[in-house]
Each structure stands twice: as C-alpha cells, then as structure tokens.
Amino acid sequence: MGTATGSGRSDEVKAAVVEAIKVGYRHFDTAAFYGTEKAVGEAIVEALRAGFLKSRGEVFITTKLWCNSNERHLVLPALKKSLRNLGLEYVDLYLIHWPLKINHQHIKIPVPTEYVTAINIKAVWEAMEECQNLGLTKSIGVSNFTSQKIQEIVSFAKIPPVVNQVEMNPLWQQKQLNEFCKENHILLTAYSPLASTGNSWGNNSVIGCDVLQDIAKSRGKTTAQISLRWLYEQGVSFVVKSFNKERMMQNVDIFDWALTQEDLNKISQIPQRKLVYLLGFVVREPNDITAEIDSKL
C-alpha cells in the first residue's frame, strides 16, 4: 500500500494504514518526501496495541532517500531521521528515490532545473551499503532508475540493489526494463499502477481505458483489478493506494483468477504513455523531457 498523498493529513494516513492492516495489507511504502513516515509509524504502533499485528516483523516497511540528501555524508543521517519519524529501529527496504541531486532545501513544484544536478552514484551507493551493514535497513534498492544507471551500480556494488521502483501500469508497461531487472535478479515494483487516480498528479487514464474496461466487464471485475492482476502476472510487485475500505479489499482480491491469453494480447497493444515525469521539469513532449533528464544524469 502506498502512502503518497497530497492532502498532508497525517490522521487520514494513519487511519488508512490501520484499516489496511485489518484488511490484510503488510507492505507499506512511504518516503521522506511524502511526509507520511510519522503517520505510518503511529499506525503500526496502534495496530500492535490493538492486536491486529503480533509483532513488528509482520509488516514490511519501505522508505526512500530524498534528492536533497543524495550525497555520501548525508545518506546515513537521512535514514536515521526517517527511522525517528517512523519510530522504528530498522526499515525493510531503503531506496534512492531519484538518481539526481536537488540543491535546495525547500522546493516548490515545479522545481527550477538549475537546482538539479547529477549525483556521484558510487559514493551514494557505498553509503547505502553502509546503512544495510549497520542493520538500519534489511535491503537497499533504487527508484526511477534506468537499466543503464542500474548497470553502473552493479559494476561496482558489494551489495547490489534488490528493487527498482518505477512507474508501471498497462499504459506504461516497462517491458524492456522488467526483462533487464529479471536478468539481474532485481524485483521491479510498480508505482502508479492505476495512474495515481485521485491524486493531484494523477489522472483517470488507466481506470478510463476502454480496453481495460471491456475486459473488466466481461470478467465481472473492476478496471483496477484488471490492471493490478496484469501487473501481478508480469512478475512484479506493486504499490497501490486507496484510503477507501471497499476499494482496499477489491485491490487485493486478484489472486484466485487469471487473465486469458486474449486479455493479455489486448493489453499488450494498448498505446503507451508515461504519466510521472521528473520533479522540476516542465511537462512537454516525452522525447524532450527524456533528452533533458538524460543530459542531467
């Protein structure tokens, strides 16, 4: 379950995480940038107190290193701050949120491009490895990384990344990146599996997709369930967010049925369109954005 929200209401996040634990969710994804770490930690404490969880070990917590801490000497302090926010001794997974550095403490969206610079990935990754060696995180990984950037890490890493969290859904299928990650024993995790519908940065492109709607209607499922089941069948994990109990339950009701080959063929032909672009870059044509990001990285 994802916890990125534009509402800024920690009480809402806390209540939703507790409800999700009751429904059966056990992996919770947060980040320093989201501002939801404290609410997630408080929800875990409440769930333990209420008996919904027997121990901390029953939940898997992911958080992320924000771009203003993408320097070697800042990584460990950033993780320690996240742990204080969460009220935990360790996280299960710590990710580099984006492969770049934002040279400004307080940012507004969009971030001016002059604030964005490349990072020393070797130095930052060595600091990530130190975090794992200290027992402050069980595993380390990356987010929004290309195969080229991951290959660079793999070339020198003592501890390779175990996860790459990226935007992925039937409208942005990430086929090549998924194959690369499988070949390198890296689990791809999909964020925005429903195109972040309901969030200020999202849209209705997945839920409103005619192909997915037709399949959902024929199968007696929701469009969201078709998208999530498709992701599951690609061999990836995913971070889905809903604070509505009924939809929480629907979103995990995807394991006792399967898509047909005809369904998969139809989904494979859906025109591809990326939703989430790098913070700080004006959304223009995708090729222009990609070229500008590449020049920074």
Side-chain angles (χ1 to χ4, degrees), residues 214-229:
D214 289 345
I215 296 172
K217 185 177 180 179
S218 68
R219 303 299 302 278
K221 306 294 181 182
T222 68
T223 308
Q225 287 173 322
I226 298 301
S227 178
L228 298 176
R229 178 67 200 190

Side-chain angles (χ1 to χ4, degrees), residues 44 112 230:
I44 293 170
W230 176 84

